């Protein structure tokens, strides 16, 4: 939590496994609350869950698919 709170950028590497993790959602929420710039990087074409879409629909994605 200290690392996230002191970071300026949060690099989110998105995959089907990421989509299933409740802990990762907690980290994303902490990054948003800390005012980090979110840089999402997608490594597969899995469909994003609603909880992640709430935070990530309005940001530009980098794709490595």
């Amino acid at each position: 939590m200290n690392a996230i709170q002191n970071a300026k950028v949060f690099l989110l590497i998105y995959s089907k496994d990421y989509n299933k993790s409740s802990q990762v959602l907690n980290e994303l929420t902490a990054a948003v609350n800390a005012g980090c710039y979110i840089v999402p990087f997608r490594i597969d074409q899995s469909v994003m869950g609603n909880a992640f879409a709430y935070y990530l629909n309005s940001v530009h994605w980098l794709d490595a698919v």
Side-chain angles (χ1 to χ4, degrees):
M1 290 304 295
N2 288 337
I4 292 172
Q5 291 170 349
N6 292 310
K8 293 181 182 180
V9 175
F10 183 84
L11 176 62
L12 182 152
I13 300 175
Y14 192 83
S15 70
K16 63 180 168 54
D17 295 324
Y18 185 99
N19 199 36
K20 296 176 188 175
S21 173
S22 63
Q23 292 305 313
V24 175
L25 181 57
N26 292 338
E27 291 175 351
L28 175 59
T29 302
V32 168
N33 290 338
C36 295
Y37 292 101
I38 309 298
V39 179
F41 185 74
R42 186 186 332 249
I43 60 172
D44 65 28
Q45 293 189 13
S46 62
V47 176
M48 188 183 328
N50 289 336
F52 292 105
Y54 176 80
Y55 292 110
L56 302 173
N57 272 343
S58 64
V59 296
H60 179 75
W61 283 80
L62 301 173
D63 282 315
V65 179

